[in-house]
Amino acid sequence: MNRAKFVMAIYALAAVLAMCSIGYSVAASSVFGAIAGIVATCVIFMTAFKMKRKLRMQGLL
């Protein structure tokens, strides 16, 4: 597994954990936690797509 695929795997794991935090916050009746989870998910997805574009431009993906 090359470096680029390892980086994308870490982003995927972070996205899954952020989405799980939304569900946990809803179950715990925490509105602030749910909003923070949604924001975290959006930020992770945006940075992952930027990184994917950067890695594609370099020819690593």
Side-chain angles (χ1 to χ4, degrees), residues 32-52:
F32 176 72
I35 292 172
I38 291 169
V39 170
T41 302
C42 291
V43 169
I44 291 170
F45 270 98
M46 284 188 283
T47 56
F49 282 125
K50 285 180 185 177
M51 179 62 73
K52 185 175 181 178

Side-chain angles (χ1 to χ4, degrees), residues 5-42:
K5 289 185 180 180
F6 181 71
V7 169
M8 295 310 293
I10 290 181
Y11 274 119
L13 180 63
V16 168
L17 291 175
M19 287 185 272
C20 288
S21 73
I22 297 169
Y24 181 77
S25 297
V26 169
S29 300
S30 172
V31 175
F32 176 72
I35 292 172
I38 291 169
V39 170
T41 302
C42 291

